[in-house]
Structure formats: structure tokens, C-alpha cells
Amino acid sequence: MTPPTDRPLRDPASELAERIRARRLPEAVVQIATRGGAAVHPALGYRAADVWERPDGPAWEIVAASGRQDLVPLWTCGTVAVFSAADGSFLQWDAEEDGPWAVWPDFAGAVRDLLTDLWEDDADDGDRAVIARLLLPEHEIAAALVPEER
């Protein structure tokens, strides 16, 4: 028997989608977080896995271990997850580390990092451009397509 509740039961993936939309991120990010990057573009299949398939996965481990309830997971790649924070920044955090690897002041920084990963994976430049257009406004695309120096 299900215990009584004051509010109707909600689908956790829907709650995640609402949190992402509240951050005013593109709908493609909602799809990545809940269905996986391949649902948006095949080139994202490995680099941007969904965070919802494994509710005990690395993204949720990081949220729990950090105590940061303001973190909204966007995608994962292995044990690494990318988050939106309440202050408007974006973080890349490995579940095996105590703190984030990278912090970007805006979403374009996180996307540039993702596009750099795809460039290092030898993804087609046309695919990278399509992905950039799905995630960023037109005026941020050119800069995001320039690979980071690592």
C-alpha cells in the first residue's frame, strides 16, 4: 500500500525537466538530461549521457555528497557530470573528487568544453556546428566551436 501524501506523486524526470527549464536552458538540454545526448544528436551518445537513467549514478552521488541542493545535473560522461548552479555558473565535477574540476560563468563555457571533447574525439565539424546551434544562441556559436587549449 502506498502511504498517503499531501501532494500528487510526480515523475522525477519531469521534476528534473522543470528545474532545467527554470534555469532557462534550451529544450535540447532537457532531452539530454532525461533521455541522453543521442536523443538530440548521435555524436552526443557518449559525451552527454542522461542523468536520469541511473538515479544512483554519479550526478546524484555528487549532489548528495556535496550537500548542494542547488545543483541541477545536465549530463554525464562516465563518472563526470555537468551541473547548473543557482548562482548562474556551470560546474564539471567527477564523482571521485571532493570539488568541481571546472567552473564556468555561463552555459557557453560548458558547451565549449563539450564541443572540445567532441573535437578531440574527431567528431565531424558539421556535427559539432549542429550541436552548437541546438544549445546556444547564434551570437555564441562561433566562439564555442573554437577548441579549448588543454
Side-chain angles (χ1 to χ4, degrees):
M1 174 184 247
T2 305
T5 180
D6 294 358
R7 59 181 215 186
L9 295 176
R10 303 218 23 207
D11 172 24
S14 295
E15 287 185 26
L16 176 60
E18 286 177 22
R19 290 181 69 196
I20 294 169
R21 289 181 184 118
R23 301 281 168 99
R24 301 187 189 277
L25 295 171
E27 191 62 25
V29 179
V30 172
Q31 296 303 312
I32 292 169
T34 59
R35 297 178 52 218
V40 172
H41 192 284
L44 290 174
Y46 170 70
R47 288 292 178 180
D50 69 279
V51 298
W52 198 249
E53 185 177 323
R54 291 181 43 215
D56 63 338
W60 302 108
E61 286 178 23
I62 292 166
V63 171
S66 70
R68 300 234 356 225
Q69 297 304 308
D70 71 308
L71 296 180
V72 177
L74 306 178
W75 61 79
T76 63
C77 181
T79 61
V80 177
V82 172
F83 299 91
S84 168
D87 66 1
S89 66
F90 293 81
L91 299 86
Q92 183 180 56
W93 199 324
D94 188 307
E96 298 172 354
E97 301 292 330
D98 292 331
W101 278 358
V103 178
W104 301 284
D106 55 28
F107 185 58
V111 172
R112 183 176 181 207
D113 184 75
L114 175 63
L115 293 171
T116 298
D117 286 340
L118 293 172
W119 178 77
E120 289 176 346
D121 293 343
D122 294 323
D124 180 79
D125 286 342
D127 289 342
R128 291 176 60 248
V130 168
I131 292 165
R133 282 193 296 277
L134 292 169
L135 297 175
L136 296 170
E138 188 66 34
H139 68 278
E140 295 179 335
I141 291 172
L145 287 168
V146 176
E148 298 173 320
E149 289 189 33
R150 295 184 172 167

